[in-house]
Amino acid sequence: MTANVNTSPKAAQSASSQILEKKIKSSNKGPKRSYGYLRLLLKSDLSTLDVFYLLLGFLAAMAAGAPFPLLGILFGELVDELNTASCAKRQNQDARNLQTSVNTKVILIVYVSIANFLAIYIHTGCFSLFGERLVRRMRENYFRSLLRQEIAFFENLPAGDVASCLTSDIETIRSGVSEKVGIVISSFAYLLGAYVVSFIKDAKLAAMLVSLVPAYMLMATIGGRYVGRYTSRVSEHIGSATAIASECLSNIALVQAFGASARLEARFATKLQKAQKDGLKKAFAAAAQFGFLFFIAYSANALAFWQGARTIAKGSDSGITAGAVYTVIFLLVDASFIISQVAPFLQIFAAAAAASERIQSVIDRSSGIDGAAASNGKKLDQVRGAIKFDDVTFRYPSRPDSSVLEGVSLVFPAGKLTAIVGPSGSGKSTIAALITRLYDVGSGRILIDGHDVQDLNVRFLRSHIGVVQQDSCLLDRSILENIAHGLVNSSHVDYESILLGSSLSDLTKAVRAGQDFDASVATQSPRIAGIVDRVREAAILADASNFISGLEFGYATMIGSSGNELSGGQKQRIALARALVKDPAILILDEATASLDTASERQIQSSLAKVIHGRTTISIAHRLSTVKEADSIIVFKEGQVVEQGSHSELVARDGTYASMVYTQALQTTTAFVRLDSGDVPTSDSRRGTLNESLKSLITEKEAFADSDQTVNETPKEQRVDPLGSQRSAWSTMRGVTSLSRPQVIFVFLGIAAATIVGGAFSGEAVVFGHTIGALSPCRSPASIRASGNLFGLLFFLFAVLVLFANVLSGSSFGRVAEKMVFKVRILAFRSLFHQDLEWHSSNGRNPALLLSYLSTDAAALAGLSGTTVGTIVSIMVNLMAGILMTHIIAWKIAVVLLATLPVLIGSGIMRLRVLVQLQDRHQLSYATSVGITVEAVNSIKTVASLGLEHESLAVYKRSLVAPYKASFKEIAYADFWLATAYSVSNLIYALAYWWGTKQVVAGLYSQTQFFIVLPALLFSAQSCGQMFALAPDVSKARVSSAKLLDLIDIGPAKLTHRGDIVTDTEKADDLEAGAKEVLKPLNQRGIRVNFHNVHFSYPARPHTAALKAIDLEILPGQFCALVGPSGAGKSTILSLLEMFYTPKSGRVEFDRSSRFDRDRVALVPQNSPLFDETVRFNIGIGARAGQEATDEEIQTACKLANIHETIACLPEGYDTRCGPNGERFSGGQKQRLSIARALVRQPSLLLLDEPTSALDADSEVHFQDTMTKISSQMTIVAIAHRLHTIRKASVIFLIEDGRCVDRGTHEELLQRSASYRANALHQSLST
């Protein structure tokens, strides 16, 4: 009897272990890892209920393993009784009285099976619930600890690391602490009982078979070492590839604008290619391990039957019967093989321990700056807001070689407005970060009201500081919730319980469901109404109330991940409202109005003038017109204070600040003196004209809602899985088969080898039946010994055959799996970036959710490939061969046993169905929770500054409630069918022995025929349990495969039939060959652009016109500009020029043709995103699709963008990594890098969206000079609120309310446009 011929349902875990070991991240062994696993189980903040589940599960698992030695004894006695019946038949004696004894034993087996069912159900249920609770706590503790860490921790955190921990690592832990714990415990209980019984039955044979345990464990250990090593490497490479995909999805607009998906796909493929290489090695190691385990099992059968035959041949002298030998072989071979099968589980436990240590290291990490702790540090009775920097020196932890501040000493008086100006990268934003204690100083001190900030409680400190950061970062909540975030950690403690609960979320959901906002607020508690009132007041002060009111759901509108469904100006106004609602003692404005039009800026400044009175305010700005009224202006340069004073004082000194003023000053005087004297006869009347112009402009602005970018107003609770698949199982299998077509030779090799494995099981049944018959005591000793020698040799030959067949099958299917998963990841990546922006932002899609297709779903696809396919093929061959053979040998026995197969298979199918439903239902829920954590980490500076740690954790916990509650019922239901599938086989064995004995006693069949039919049919059918044990993996694989196939289907045409997957190495030669040629502009004079009566509405708001009958003509080589209030439609025009959308009516022409070539267009987006790669790579991404820029061309572009010197001063130069989201560079530096990225493309059409909003005066002048130099070679379209930036434009289009209301040069518009003139005068710095 081989390993597959056993009656223990635990053998069904073998195939499952092969799949689950793919999730192993590390294979380190030893006491440290064992201790780590025990720590995971026993020291994870266990509650009383957890301890109860753990103890009850342990006892039930021990009880579940105990019945099997008893079953072995009963089966052995049945063998002896069958031998007796056969001998009686030969001697013509009546054997019918044996039927009574058989009936008694069958009834005992039924009782034992019932007890076994209960024990299995209890221990799988207990450990499943224990695992769910442990994983939930770990998720929460991990996220809680992340939120407590200082910002420097996140600067060294790889992109995608958090998502990886909360998906693959958490899943590895869940797999290692759930039902498999009970299975391992019951298996060892089985082994212990088996050895006790075996030594009682036949001590010599039992002693010989003791060698099985070290043999199995040695093979499992050696094989596991290599499998674990390669698995760890695969995980590392997959993690790197996932990080690339994560950044690409987060910057999808940039990727599409530059057509960079092919270049990024090549880098993605290069990482995957390394993973594939190690994956192939892992497949061979796993196949060899599996093959040798079967070799040991068959060889053990050969040894056991050879020794058993010698013992039985001695007759009564030995006192050993065939039944005793059967019992020993049955128990020890089976139990030892079970231990070998749980050996991979030990690897899974080691993987769980490794994953938990990775997560636990973050959980246990002590934060240097803990913003969530309420007790650490002092709390002042009152905060006046006097701030003093005393000889402060600072370097960013990520760039310790570059000094940012050097010996800075300055004072921010309490209740005064102090402005900080200076070049990009001079340390201005660093001042704000140090005041809010996002970082600690390297030396020196920062004092607030005379107290060192490092002595103060961090949360208390931040509760008195309101910040509007340079990059306005919002969270994926409603507008109401985002503004109310300012109240979370503030002096308004009465609101804290409301803000940390779900009340505001529930209120906005009700509004999006159709209820009136004011009516809904009226039904809420006074505290909720108070929060709403404060939010409205802050929105009015921030000039956000008008555009919010124009949205369908108003304050209940969801704004998308990072607020990406709002325009830049809208986000900045909401961020400002969020800071104002806090009513802080200290207000820090870091380029708070950089994305706003002049009218909005003027209105906000007027509101701020009242709000900041008596409040310490620090304003960081490049636009000097916004800070000229400050009480004091501090000028920074190269990390030091070079000047300080009021605007008039600094201008009078004629120093650095005066130079900046003269650089930015608009020369409007000449234009105004050309006006008729009746228009502006005196300065007073000029002031009146200005006021009227501003009033007119504000009125125009209030007449329409922002439409620069769409707000997706679909209620979030109605959003569905973006790729919720309806694909059938058959269609899924066809799709997977199609993807495997290039590996058809290996598929057939794998199928042939798996067929041999499956056929060997049926052949082994024939040998087994003849062996049992030959060991009958009715035969002569010589015959018994001869039969033992023969059948022992046949078992050994089967061992060799199965060894090579398993190696060939596992290696072949492993190769198919690796190649297919590699291709699926590439095709899924390609399909994701083939979709337009509308697709990416609709139906609840976000980067974290879409990333799961490339990580979680692609990994799960292996559940329908690799060794799983080999296992399924061998099982099906074995089953079909068994059915055919048994009906030929003993059809009366076979037909009864065949009728029981639906019971075996049906219980497994029911469990599979339950798990499929569970997987399908909760996959999106957990993806949503992961998205919450990723968003919080990406926005960690905002979360920390606002003290949103507790709020983010509360939202995360709420996202876990639904799937967690549902899991209890579904675990109970699924484990019922699991226990049924594992226990019903014993009942069927009882029926088989009862019916088979009846036939043997009746003389219809021989004992040999019976023992051929029994393993060939029932044991083969039981092997179907292996497929049921694969249910969790198969269910995930089916759902994930269907989703991936759906994603691929919506990609480029004939995507699945193309083999054009190219890596960096493969394209290097072509790139180098074509680089010089392609980097020349295709049109040395630029592109002619025409808009002909263009009407456009965003798909999400089809009834709201964003553009109305726009007619524009831009000549080749022109530098044209788009100006106007926020939301007028300027960015929409750029989106149409990039062909992100198509007009509703009218047409956009390029060189009098509707054909569009994105290679000829370059974009400088407003937010200047950078990848976590080198500076060289980030600039080179701007090269035309399929080409690479040379170092010389990259440096030339950087010189034009005035960033080359900055890069050259860095220790690693152009090989310096930019960090996640480019955070290792200042806002101005990122913007200049973004400009260089566009210039390296040498486009025919250059699109600039607020290209100088974060630039200092000198950089802006350099930018203007660059535009002058290149404008003759390309067409330039720029959006700007700084009129100084576009003053020299050939033509300026004034866009208001979706229409082009005027056009002309700067001087022409000053003469005839009141709104333009008001805008210009407001920005004037003349003293």
Side-chain angles (χ1 to χ4, degrees):
M1 182 174 58
T2 71
N4 200 59
V5 182
N6 64 77
T7 58
S8 168
K10 298 193 185 325
Q13 296 301 315
S14 59
S16 180
S17 65
Q18 299 170 50
I19 302 303
L20 288 170
E21 68 187 8
K22 297 178 185 228
K23 299 172 184 174
I24 298 174
K25 290 287 185 80
S26 171
S27 61
N28 297 332
K29 317 287 192 307
K32 182 178 179 181
R33 184 67 69 223
S34 300
Y35 172 76
Y37 184 72
L38 291 176
R39 181 175 182 265
L40 171 62
L41 281 182
L42 304 177
K43 295 187 178 181
S44 299
D45 301 326
L46 301 184
S47 66
T48 303
L49 183 58
D50 293 314
V51 174
F52 172 76
Y53 283 143
L54 197 59
L55 292 178
L56 181 59
F58 177 80
L59 296 175
M62 293 291 291
F68 291 104
L70 177 59
L71 291 175
I73 296 172
L74 294 176
F75 290 147
E77 292 177 355
L78 287 172
V79 169
D80 284 336
E81 289 171 353
L82 284 174
N83 281 334
T84 301
S86 298
C87 291
K89 180 182 177 183
R90 292 181 183 181
Q91 300 171 8
N92 296 320
Q93 298 177 2
D94 187 3
R96 286 176 294 180
N97 59 336
L98 296 177
Q99 189 66 47
T100 302
S101 177
V102 171
N103 293 345
T104 302
K105 291 181 174 59
V106 167
I107 292 173
L108 284 174
I109 293 173
V110 171
Y111 292 154
V112 170
S113 298
I114 294 173
N116 190 32
F117 169 84
L118 293 175
I120 292 174
Y121 183 71
I122 291 173
H123 84 67
T124 54
C126 284
F127 281 110
S128 293
L129 293 174
F130 175 83
E132 287 290 332
R133 290 171 59 84
L134 186 148
V135 164
R136 184 188 186 189
R137 286 196 305 276
M138 187 159 284
R139 286 177 186 271
E140 293 177 3
N141 291 338
Y142 175 71
F143 187 40
R144 181 184 290 109
S145 182
L146 275 178
L147 294 172
R148 302 173 79 98
Q149 302 306 317
E150 68 274 16
I151 302 302
F153 171 82
F154 296 95
E155 291 180 349
N156 297 315
L157 198 66
D161 187 79
V162 172
S164 176
C165 281
L166 290 173
T167 52
S168 58
D169 284 358
I170 285 292
E171 176 58 26
T172 299
I173 294 171
R174 190 206 63 77
S175 177
V177 298
S178 296
E179 72 279 352
K180 295 173 189 62
V181 180
I183 291 172
V184 170
I185 293 173
S186 62
S187 298
F188 278 101
Y190 177 20
L191 179 67
L192 179 62
Y195 270 100
V196 171
V197 171
S198 297
F199 274 98
I200 294 173
K201 289 288 185 179
D202 187 346
K204 185 175 181 180
L205 180 58
M208 293 177 67
L209 294 181
V210 166
S211 62
L212 281 173
V213 174
Y216 276 133
M217 295 303 293
L218 181 64
M219 182 49 58
T221 302
I222 294 175
R225 178 180 181 182
Y226 284 99
V227 170
R229 175 187 299 175
Y230 293 127
T231 301
S232 179
R233 292 179 184 176
V234 169
S235 298
E236 181 181 347
H237 298 317
I238 293 297
S240 299
T242 301
I244 293 173
S246 176
E247 287 197 302
C248 292
L249 288 169
S250 298
N251 299 306
I252 181 63
L254 178 73
V255 172
Q256 292 198 351
F258 283 100
S261 59
R263 182 178 288 105
L264 292 163
E265 179 187 309
R267 295 180 72 85
F268 182 70
T270 300
K271 300 294 185 182
L272 291 182
Q273 200 171 50
K274 295 178 181 179
Q276 182 190 100
K277 182 178 179 180
D278 286 320
L280 293 174
K281 295 177 181 178
K282 183 191 71 173
F284 177 79
Q289 178 190 27
F290 201 56
F292 273 107
L293 291 175
F294 271 97
F295 174 80
I296 294 171
Y298 276 92
S299 299
N301 275 276
L303 173 63
F305 281 116
W306 174 79
Q307 174 61 29
R310 292 167 60 86
T311 303
I312 294 171
K314 293 180 182 180
S316 58
D317 294 339
S318 65
I320 305 299
T321 65
V325 173
Y326 177 87
T327 296
V328 173
I329 297 173
F330 170 82
L331 290 178
L332 289 189
V333 175
D334 184 45
S336 300
F337 188 74
I338 292 303
I339 294 303
S340 75
Q341 297 303 296
V342 302
F345 286 2
L346 300 181
Q347 295 292 314
I348 293 172
F349 295 162
S356 70
E357 287 178 6
R358 179 184 176 192
I359 292 178
Q360 197 67 39
S361 66
V362 176
I363 294 175
D364 294 339
R365 186 180 187 275
S366 179
S367 173
I369 306 174
D370 188 350
S375 56
N376 299 336
K378 296 188 299 185
K379 296 181 180 180
L380 307 181
D381 295 332
Q382 182 182 5
V383 175
R384 294 176 49 252
I387 304 172
K388 179 180 180 181
F389 276 60
D390 185 7
D391 195 26
V392 170
T393 299
F394 176 73
R395 302 178 181 219
Y396 281 102
S398 58
R399 287 189 289 168
D401 297 330
S402 300
S403 178
V404 181
L405 299 180
E406 281 290 345
V408 171
S409 296
L410 52 84
V411 174
F412 298 95
K416 300 294 184 180
L417 169 60
T418 304
I420 303 177
V421 299
S424 300
S426 59
K428 304 184 300 298
S429 295
T430 302
I431 294 291
L434 292 176
I435 293 174
T436 54
R437 211 183 160 199
L438 297 180
Y439 303 91
D440 279 334
V441 299
S443 64
R445 295 186 306 164
I446 299 176
L447 305 177
I448 293 184
D449 293 345
H451 299 272
D452 194 325
V453 293
Q454 296 191 27
D455 296 332
L456 300 178
N457 176 268
V458 179
R459 189 167 182 82
F460 165 81
L461 171 68
R462 292 172 181 170
S463 71
H464 291 277
I465 301 175
V467 182
V468 180
Q469 295 173 337
Q470 190 169 6
D471 296 323
S472 302
C473 186
L474 306 176
L475 301 182
D476 190 7
R477 318 272 203 276
S478 66
I479 292 176
L480 174 65
E481 292 169 277
N482 267 281
I483 298 178
H485 281 162
L487 295 169
V488 171
N489 181 35
S490 68
S491 58
H492 306 286
V493 293
D494 293 343
Y495 298 138
E496 186 171 359
S497 60
I498 300 294
L499 296 167
L500 296 183
S502 62
S503 300
L504 294 183
S505 177
D506 294 339
L507 170 63
T508 56
K509 284 180 181 179
V511 173
R512 293 193 296 274
Q515 294 186 19
D516 178 73
F517 182 74
D518 292 328
S520 297
V521 172
T523 63
Q524 304 295 322
S525 67
R527 286 190 296 171
I528 294 179
I531 291 174
V532 173
D533 289 341
R534 288 183 177 275
V535 166
R536 282 173 161 167
E537 291 172 4
I540 292 172
L541 288 174
D543 192 33
S545 179
N546 289 328
F547 94 80
I548 294 174
S549 300
L551 301 174
E552 180 180 358
F553 300 113
Y555 286 89
T557 301
M558 299 298 298
I559 63 174
S561 177
S562 301
N564 286 335
E565 293 176 7
L566 296 177
S567 71
Q570 291 168 340
K571 287 198 294 184
Q572 201 155 44
R573 277 176 275 178
I574 290 179
L576 182 58
R578 182 177 62 190
L580 295 177
V581 77
K582 192 171 194 171
D583 191 22
I586 301 170
L587 181 62
I588 301 176
L589 307 173
D590 190 354
E591 292 284 356
T593 58
S595 297
L596 300 182
D597 60 273
T598 306
S600 295
E601 182 180 58
R602 183 179 179 84
Q603 185 167 337
I604 289 173
Q605 285 185 323
S606 176
S607 300
L608 285 176
K610 302 174 183 176
V611 172
I612 66 177
H613 182 70
R615 189 190 314 270
T616 304
T617 305
I618 301 172
S619 178
I620 299 171
H622 286 303
R623 197 186 298 179
L624 302 184
S625 62
T626 63
V627 297
K628 61 183 180 180
E629 301 299 329
D631 297 301
S632 177
I633 300 174
I634 300 172
V635 183
F636 265 83
K637 188 174 183 179
E638 297 180 354
Q640 296 180 328
V641 177
V642 294
E643 286 184 331
Q644 184 171 358
S646 66
H647 173 74
S648 57
E649 292 171 348
L650 293 176
V651 170
R653 291 179 192 174
D654 199 22
T656 302
Y657 181 80
S659 176
M660 295 168 62
V661 170
Y662 299 146
T663 299
Q664 288 191 20
L666 287 172
Q667 302 300 321
T668 58
T669 306
T670 303
F672 272 108
V673 297
R674 294 174 184 168
L675 298 177
D676 292 336
S677 59
D679 291 334
V680 279
T682 65
S683 60
D684 290 338
S685 62
R686 182 186 303 175
R687 238 178 255 115
T689 302
L690 172 61
N691 291 334
E692 292 174 5
S693 300
L694 286 173
K695 183 177 180 181
S696 172
L697 181 57
I698 293 171
T699 303
E700 294 174 23
K701 176 180 172 298
E702 292 174 348
F704 60 91
D706 275 336
S707 54
D708 232 27
Q709 292 188 24
T710 183
V711 178
N712 189 342
E713 297 167 350
T714 304
K716 189 168 184 179
E717 59 273 14
Q718 296 178 8
R719 295 176 182 174
V720 297
D721 187 344
L723 288 180
S725 178
Q726 301 298 321
R727 186 183 291 265
S728 66
W730 172 246
S731 176
T732 300
M733 288 305 300
R734 286 181 58 193
V736 171
T737 302
S738 175
L739 289 168
S740 305
R741 193 172 299 159
Q743 305 297 319
V744 65
I745 294 177
F746 291 97
V747 171
F748 282 117
L749 278 176
I751 291 175
T755 302
I756 292 174
V757 174
F761 293 150
S762 296
E764 178 265 345
V766 175
V767 175
F768 175 72
H770 283 89
T771 303
I772 294 296
L775 297 182
S776 172
C778 302
R779 303 185 61 178
S780 66
S783 176
I784 293 175
R785 277 193 293 270
S787 297
N789 293 337
L790 173 62
F791 295 126
L793 177 61
L794 289 176
F795 269 114
F796 183 75
L797 292 177
F798 272 119
V800 176
L801 177 65
V802 172
L803 166 62
F804 287 105
N806 270 296
V807 172
L808 181 59
S809 174
S811 298
S812 297
F813 283 122
R815 179 183 176 85
V816 173
E818 290 297 331
K819 294 288 185 180
M820 182 177 66
V821 172
F822 172 80
K823 185 174 184 179
V824 164
R825 279 193 167 106
I826 296 296
L827 296 180
F829 183 97
R830 188 176 301 170
S831 182
L832 281 173
F833 292 98
H834 180 73
Q835 310 310 316
D836 56 27
L837 291 182
E838 179 186 353
W839 184 90
H840 276 267
S841 60
S842 62
N843 291 335
R845 297 182 182 94
N846 58 60
L849 184 60
L850 294 177
L851 184 64
S852 68
Y853 295 108
L854 299 174
S855 55
T856 307
D857 290 327
L861 176 61
L864 287 183
S865 56
T867 52
T868 305
V869 177
T871 301
I872 293 174
V873 171
S874 63
I875 289 172
M876 296 306 296
V877 169
N878 183 22
L879 182 62
M880 299 306 297
I883 292 174
L884 179 62
M885 184 177 67
T886 54
H887 279 74
I888 293 174
I889 294 174
W891 71 270
K892 286 188 177 180
I893 299 177
V895 74
V896 172
L897 300 186
L898 185 62
T900 64
L901 295 188
V903 179
L904 276 174
I905 298 174
S907 58
I909 290 176
M910 284 302 300
R911 171 166 165 77
L912 177 62
R913 183 178 180 183
V914 169
L915 286 170
V916 167
Q917 293 173 346
L918 174 66
Q919 179 70 19
D920 205 7
R921 189 175 304 154
H922 295 300
Q923 191 171 31
L924 180 60
S925 298
Y926 284 111
T928 300
S929 65
V930 171
I932 292 171
T933 62
V934 171
E935 181 184 48
V937 169
N938 290 341
S939 310
I940 191 62
K941 288 186 177 180
T942 297
V943 171
S945 299
L946 293 173
L948 297 179
E949 294 90 351
H950 299 314
E951 190 274 345
S952 297
L953 183 63
V955 173
Y956 180 68
K957 286 182 177 180
R958 290 200 295 271
S959 73
L960 297 176
V961 170
Y964 178 70
K965 286 185 176 179
S967 66
F968 283 90
K969 180 179 178 181
E970 286 158 348
I971 284 174
Y973 188 46
D975 285 341
F976 170 81
W977 291 108
L978 172 66
T980 300
Y982 285 172
S983 302
V984 73
S985 57
N986 291 330
L987 297 176
I988 296 176
Y989 294 150
L991 173 63
Y993 274 102
W994 175 80
W995 179 249
T997 302
K998 199 174 183 65
Q999 303 307 305
V1000 172
V1001 169
L1004 298 177
Y1005 298 107
S1006 67
Q1007 180 182 2
T1008 297
Q1009 289 173 306
F1010 171 66
F1011 277 106
I1012 291 175
V1013 172
L1014 182 67
L1017 189 58
L1018 276 191
F1019 293 177
S1020 298
Q1022 186 194 357
S1023 66
C1024 290
Q1026 295 185 29
M1027 291 189 293
F1028 306 149
L1030 289 171
D1033 303 288
V1034 173
S1035 65
K1036 293 176 186 176
R1038 189 199 69 77
V1039 174
S1040 297
S1041 300
K1043 292 171 64 179
L1044 283 166
L1045 290 170
D1046 284 348
L1047 175 60
I1048 293 172
D1049 284 347
I1050 64 174
K1054 299 181 181 179
L1055 194 58
T1056 59
H1057 303 293
R1058 296 174 59 183
D1060 55 343
I1061 297 172
V1062 183
T1063 63
D1064 279 347
T1065 305
E1066 292 168 337
K1067 4 183 285 186
D1069 295 337
D1070 292 338
L1071 292 176
E1072 186 175 351
K1076 292 186 178 180
E1077 177 182 355
V1078 79
L1079 285 173
K1080 295 179 181 179
L1082 298 179
N1083 187 333
Q1084 295 293 335
R1085 286 287 298 163
I1087 294 177
R1088 175 190 293 270
V1089 177
N1090 292 93
F1091 277 61
H1092 296 289
N1093 195 31
V1094 170
H1095 292 258
F1096 176 75
S1097 299
Y1098 283 98
R1101 292 190 294 172
H1103 303 298
T1104 303
L1107 296 180
K1108 307 169 185 177
I1110 285 284
D1111 284 290
L1112 302 177
E1113 181 179 24
I1114 303 171
L1115 300 178
Q1118 270 195 336
F1119 174 21
C1120 80
L1122 305 175
V1123 300
S1126 299
K1130 304 183 299 298
S1131 292
T1132 301
I1133 293 174
L1134 256 59
S1135 295
L1136 293 179
L1137 288 174
E1138 271 286 0
M1139 295 305 290
F1140 289 151
Y1141 304 93
T1142 55
K1144 183 178 180 181
S1145 64
R1147 66 186 186 277
V1148 179
E1149 293 182 346
F1150 302 89
D1151 286 338
R1152 303 188 186 279
S1153 170
S1154 59
R1155 294 184 59 187
F1156 174 73
D1157 183 3
R1158 188 162 274 157
D1159 271 350
R1160 303 177 68 186
V1161 182
L1163 172 68
V1164 178
Q1166 188 171 351
N1167 57 353
S1168 303
L1170 298 174
F1171 293 96
D1172 187 14
E1173 292 282 351
T1174 63
V1175 171
R1176 178 180 285 103
F1177 174 82
N1178 273 285
I1179 298 174
I1181 211 78
R1184 294 195 175 108
Q1187 305 298 326
E1188 287 286 347
T1190 65
D1191 286 348
E1192 180 182 356
E1193 290 160 340
I1194 289 174
Q1195 291 180 21
T1196 299
C1198 289
K1199 289 175 182 178
L1200 287 172
N1202 194 30
I1203 191 66
H1204 173 72
E1205 295 298 329
T1206 301
I1207 298 171
C1209 291
L1210 297 174
E1212 296 179 78
Y1214 281 86
D1215 291 323
T1216 302
R1217 297 189 70 86
C1218 297
N1221 301 317
E1223 289 183 355
R1224 295 183 181 177
F1225 290 92
S1226 70
Q1229 291 168 340
K1230 285 196 292 184
Q1231 200 158 44
R1232 282 181 280 165
L1233 287 170
S1234 185
I1235 293 170
R1237 178 172 55 203
L1239 293 179
V1240 82
R1241 197 178 188 87
Q1242 296 194 15
S1244 299
L1245 176 61
L1246 179 61
L1247 307 178
L1248 308 169
D1249 191 353
E1250 288 288 353
T1252 62
S1253 60
L1255 296 187
D1256 56 86
D1258 289 339
S1259 295
E1260 187 174 1
V1261 169
H1262 196 287
F1263 171 79
Q1264 291 171 356
D1265 292 341
T1266 298
M1267 292 300 101
T1268 301
K1269 292 177 184 178
I1270 66 175
S1271 60
S1272 61
Q1273 301 177 10
M1274 63 186 71
T1275 304
I1276 301 174
V1277 181
I1279 294 175
H1281 289 305
R1282 289 188 188 181
L1283 299 185
H1284 183 66
T1285 304
I1286 47 87
R1287 186 182 53 165
K1288 296 180 181 180
S1290 306
V1291 59
I1292 299 173
F1293 297 97
L1294 182 57
I1295 310 297
E1296 294 180 2
D1297 193 19
R1299 293 183 172 88
C1300 180
V1301 297
D1302 205 344
R1303 70 192 69 194
T1305 64
H1306 173 69
E1307 288 74 13
E1308 292 171 348
L1309 291 177
L1310 280 175
Q1311 290 182 7
R1312 64 172 180 253
S1313 173
S1315 61
Y1316 188 88
R1317 185 165 55 250
N1319 195 348
L1321 282 176
H1322 176 63
Q1323 295 184 32
S1324 175
L1325 280 169
S1326 59
T1327 56

